[in-house]
Amino acid sequence: MGQRLNRCLDVPVALPPLRRRLLLLSIMLFLWLYMFYSCAGSCAGLAAAGHPRRPRSPALPPLLPGEPAKRTAWRSSGQRPTPQPHVQLLQRLRHKRLPQAIIIGVKKGGTRALLEFLRVHPDVRAVGAEPHFFDRNYERGLAWYRDLMPKTLEGQITMEKTPSYFVTKEAPARISSMSKGTKLIVVVRDPVTRAISDYTQTLSKKPDIPTFESLTFKNRTTGLIDTSWSAIQIGIYAKHLENWLLYFPIGQILFVSGERLISDPAGELGRVQDFLGLKRIITDKHFYFNKTKGFPCLKKAEGSSKPHCLGKTKGRTHPDIDQEVVQRLRDFYRPFNMKFYQMTGQDFGWD
Ligand SMILES: Nc1ncnc2c1ncn2[C@@H]1O[C@H](COP(=O)(O)OS(=O)(=O)O)[C@@H](OP(=O)(O)O)[C@H]1O
């Protein structure tokens, strides 16, 4: 081979053997590098087709359909451009899938914040609106539900959030029958503050409703609390959890502290990423505290380079509630909270 190369390349045979070998080695190295670089593009394509690695969305080229600049370009020319082969391959690999993880509650716990923060992760794709499939729309069937989901690549997690699932009697059995392996996340918050937050939301829609204090009691003189009022009912977490534990092991449910989601969003997001088996990509670098909003916000929202805080309906000012009523509610919830701490193995510090 060396002699053939000698002849072919006309290497002066008069050179001393060591220098001749060095010269030959350099030529071979040059040829090898040349071949490597020439085939790099096509070899990469072959590798992707033959040994698909888990594709990450940040690596998705900005040529994907839906990318604004491209859309404008083909609209003005009137012809949709044929996507490049690697884009076509990615399109074929993207499918609508049923969610593997669901934020099931609780209403006013901080569920929107959690979902918005999680969506920053390249391996999480989530439907924005609440599908209410397992409570209000179950008759529409799984195909309807799946169709609401965003397209994902193999390895990406599809998620949704509907906080009312946590208090829906049928939801655990229904989710379990979709998939026993569904991961469940519950964002919990001090039930007293949660009740006031719930009331504040209703008040913003119906300003004529009775006061929080009068709705709290069945009988104010005896101090009997009206547990049939949904604002109170939802906060009896231990009772609702019992229903879920009939269908899911406790290890398949993650309890996120709504309070820590505000005081240390990165810390809570770390736990959630671990639970979902995701690489810890969302860290404290993703958040800043917005003084005007009074809450942590994202430095960059998903698919944008701009800072992003949640909307006006999140982080509302609560009305002042009679402190005696607040105390009475604290006393009411205490035993249920203790039971909940026991069941989850976590002390949320509400007492
Ligand atoms: N980062 C950030 N920004 C704004 N708001 C935040 C944030 N983190 C948690 N929260 C708290 O989320 C509460 C609303 O909870 P949910 O999103 O679960 O509400 S809902 O059930 O979907 O209506 C909302 O309740 P209110 O303060 O009563 O409005 C907030 O306290």
Side-chain angles (χ1 to χ4, degrees):
M1 160 86 173
Q3 280 182 347
R4 231 182 293 152
L5 250 180
N6 275 346
R7 256 179 269 130
C8 173
L9 298 169
D10 202 16
V11 176
V13 243
L15 279 176
L18 185 65
R19 288 187 62 190
R20 205 167 62 219
R21 237 177 251 163
L22 274 174
L23 183 65
L24 276 172
L25 266 176
S26 340
I27 292 168
M28 283 167 75
L29 183 67
F30 171 78
L31 283 172
W32 182 82
L33 280 173
Y34 175 75
M35 279 165 60
F36 177 79
Y37 280 110
S38 331
C39 91
S42 49
C43 292
L46 285 175
H51 311 278
R53 267 183 287 150
R54 192 161 103 170
R56 295 187 165 272
S57 15
L60 293 184
L63 300 154
L64 277 174
E67 192 269 332
K70 272 277 151 200
R71 210 160 43 194
T72 321
W74 71 257
R75 278 205 181 133
S76 57
S77 73
Q79 266 190 330
R80 186 193 277 267
T82 314
Q84 292 187 0
H86 67 287
V87 178
Q88 284 178 3
L89 178 68
L90 281 175
Q91 279 171 344
R92 275 202 302 275
L93 293 172
R94 292 166 80 235
H95 299 293
K96 291 186 174 190
R97 298 164 218 260
L98 290 167
Q100 300 95 336
I102 306 178
I103 300 174
I104 56 171
V106 301
K107 184 181 177 195
K108 307 318 287 177
T111 54
R112 177 57 61 191
L114 178 62
L115 193 71
E116 290 298 300
F117 297 163
L118 262 177
R119 287 172 93 169
V120 170
H121 200 292
D123 288 343
V124 173
R125 287 290 168 267
V127 52
E130 293 176 9
H132 282 279
F133 176 64
F134 296 104
D135 54 349
R136 297 181 202 153
N137 293 307
Y138 196 60
E139 292 69 35
R140 294 179 189 248
L142 280 173
W144 175 87
Y145 185 45
R146 183 180 13 233
D147 203 45
L148 296 180
M149 299 300 149
K151 285 186 174 179
T152 50
L153 292 163
E154 179 79 42
Q156 283 182 319
I157 297 178
T158 302
M159 288 192 73
E160 69 119 320
K161 78 118 183 160
T162 304
S164 48
Y165 291 162
F166 189 63
V167 297
T168 301
K169 221 163 181 303
E170 302 80 15
R174 288 173 175 179
I175 296 181
S176 168
S177 87
M178 173 185 74
S179 168
K180 279 189 168 44
T182 312
K183 292 188 179 182
L184 309 171
I185 301 176
V186 195
V187 190
V188 285
R189 178 183 186 186
D190 178 347
V192 180
T193 338
R194 199 219 67 79
I196 299 171
S197 170
D198 203 337
Y199 172 80
T200 311
Q201 173 165 297
T202 316
L203 191 66
S204 73
K205 292 178 193 161
K206 298 179 197 158
D208 297 335
I209 55 165
T211 61
F212 180 87
E213 289 84 345
S214 59
L215 288 167
T216 297
F217 297 103
K218 260 195 177 136
N219 182 330
R220 181 117 195 219
T221 332
T222 59
L224 189 65
I225 289 188
D226 187 354
T227 51
S228 67
W229 184 30
S230 69
I232 303 287
Q233 237 259 329
I234 294 172
I236 310 173
Y237 303 143
K239 188 178 105 13
H240 304 296
L241 181 58
E242 273 171 4
N243 192 26
W244 288 88
L245 293 180
L246 299 174
Y247 294 87
F248 292 93
I250 192 88
Q252 216 168 301
I253 312 175
L254 182 76
F255 300 91
V256 172
S257 156
E259 286 81 15
R260 280 201 298 271
L261 195 59
I262 297 171
S263 62
D264 177 19
E268 281 309 275
L269 263 289
R271 293 181 60 235
V272 179
Q273 290 171 94
D274 291 350
F275 174 72
L276 295 175
L278 295 167
K279 199 174 162 197
R280 281 196 177 208
I281 285 180
I282 308 166
T283 64
D284 50 4
K285 291 190 186 73
H286 287 83
F287 302 99
Y288 74 99
F289 187 81
N290 185 306
K291 279 190 194 153
T292 322
K293 176 89 184 157
F295 283 90
C297 297
L298 284 168
K299 285 185 187 163
K300 286 177 191 175
E302 182 222 355
S304 148
S305 55
K306 288 185 193 153
H308 173 67
C309 291
L310 297 197
K312 281 189 192 137
T313 60
K314 306 292 173 185
R316 291 183 175 111
T317 309
H318 297 171
D320 282 335
I321 306 296
D322 182 338
Q323 280 311 300
E324 244 180 66
V325 175
V326 170
Q327 194 49 50
R328 178 69 193 92
L329 273 177
R330 294 219 169 283
D331 296 342
F332 166 78
Y333 278 120
R334 190 166 300 111
F336 297 111
N337 289 347
M338 294 304 149
K339 176 97 188 290
F340 185 66
Y341 297 171
Q342 231 173 34
M343 291 168 92
T344 58
Q346 273 174 260
D347 181 341
F348 291 90
W350 298 319
D351 299 280

